[in-house]
Amino acid sequence: MKKVRENGIDGFWGLVIFIGLAVACFIIWLATGLATSWLIATLLYVAMASCFLYTTLIGKQKIWDQQLPQITLSTDTRALDIGCGHGMVLFKIAHRLPAGGHITGIDIWRQQDQTNNSMATVMQKIHTDGLDQVAAVQTADMRELPFADNHFNVVVSSLAIHNVKPKAGRQQSLREIARVLQPGGQLVIADLGFSCNAYRQELVRLGFHDIQVTGTGINGWWGGPWMPTLVLRAIR
Ligand SMILES: C[S@@+](CC[C@H](N)C(=O)[O-])C[C@H]1O[C@@H](n2cnc3c(N)ncnc32)[C@H](O)[C@@H]1O
């Protein structure tokens, strides 16, 4: 429960749907005199809900633990975490930054995208972890970033951009990332598979290079392998 409180649950309603379907199949299984097919359906939805819960609470952290050593951090680092939510990536980077480096997190704190996310909680944790000189957080929409051109040299985003709808909003967000990221700056996005493939095309148009998209395996499955997380790395 502590993990749920500290990190929230991503896409909460997706999880509710899996649990609801498991319960419905279980009731039908009882009502139909224990027909095997309904038991199999129940177990399938329980497995999907468990897989979803694993990814949101543990798998996603492992994905970023694997990515972080590949991000160059220095005393000059000016990093931005887009859609930081509870700050999972923000804190991982802040704790690794050499003195002088800085990371800013932005979010609009939508509960439907991640439960219990709030600026106050992240600010409190920044303070508790002794990171006041290293990390900051503010309310901002990724479609209209309140930063000057070329302000950052690292931009990261974890499972946030796909939440912007419609597609034009996601393209606008990528244009904003391109605007605030210095030439030569590093971009790392973890997001749902179908989204990452669309981002790649848009980033090519925006002049990014060395674009790599990689799978994350079972750590990134949102209910099953048909809804994977991919990681996109690119240089501005
Ligand atoms: C699934 S959560 C992921 C949070 C965090 N990056 C993580 O991995 O734990 C997605 C986050 O994106 C934020 N978000 C959604 N639309 C946004 C927008 N237009 N601008 C900024 N943040 C947004 C939500 O409020 C939510 O906190």
Side-chain angles (χ1 to χ4, degrees), residues 47-235:
M48 286 187 206
S50 311
C51 179
F52 191 105
L53 211 51
Y54 169 81
T55 297
T56 191
L57 294 178
I58 299 166
K60 155 180 111 156
Q61 305 246 6
K62 290 190 176 175
I63 291 171
W64 281 96
D65 287 339
Q66 284 160 7
Q67 289 305 315
L68 288 174
Q70 298 175 58
I71 302 176
T72 310
L73 299 176
S74 70
T75 53
D76 295 330
T77 295
R78 290 289 169 272
L80 175 65
D81 182 359
I82 305 257
C84 63
H86 282 260
M88 183 260 294
V89 182
L90 178 114
F91 287 106
K92 284 184 189 297
I93 291 182
H95 281 292
R96 282 173 171 78
L97 274 173
H102 192 272
I103 180 161
T104 302
I106 64 110
D107 205 297
I108 54 169
W109 322 109
R110 278 196 345 164
Q111 304 294 301
Q112 71 198 69
D113 298 337
Q114 188 176 61
T115 54
N116 290 329
N117 58 13
S118 80
M119 188 162 94
T121 325
V122 184
M123 282 173 86
Q124 179 59 50
K125 187 162 164 34
I126 287 174
H127 191 60
T128 312
D129 286 9
L131 294 169
D132 297 279
Q133 306 304 314
V134 181
V137 72
Q138 67 187 72
T139 298
D141 192 313
M142 65 176 91
R143 288 165 291 194
E144 211 171 333
L145 294 172
F147 305 109
D149 298 358
N150 304 327
H151 189 71
F152 298 98
N153 46 26
V154 175
V155 173
V156 293
S157 183
S158 173
L159 295 151
I161 303 173
H162 75 272
N163 288 307
V164 177
K165 304 205 170 53
K167 183 180 174 191
R170 296 191 288 280
Q171 291 175 331
Q172 169 74 18
S173 306
L174 293 173
R175 280 197 296 278
E176 278 295 84
I177 289 174
R179 183 182 66 75
V180 301
L181 187 57
Q182 289 171 10
Q186 311 164 77
L187 172 64
V188 185
I189 297 172
D191 214 332
L192 301 181
F194 60 89
S195 316
C196 272
N197 288 324
Y199 305 159
R200 186 212 304 246
Q201 291 171 17
E202 189 61 24
L203 291 172
V204 168
R205 268 196 291 275
L206 289 167
F208 280 77
H209 57 93
D210 293 349
I211 302 175
Q212 296 168 23
V213 179
T214 48
T216 58
I218 198 169
N219 285 327
W221 289 359
W222 297 94
W226 48 85
M227 189 62 98
T229 302
L230 298 183
V231 172
L232 183 155
R233 302 170 56 84
I235 302 295

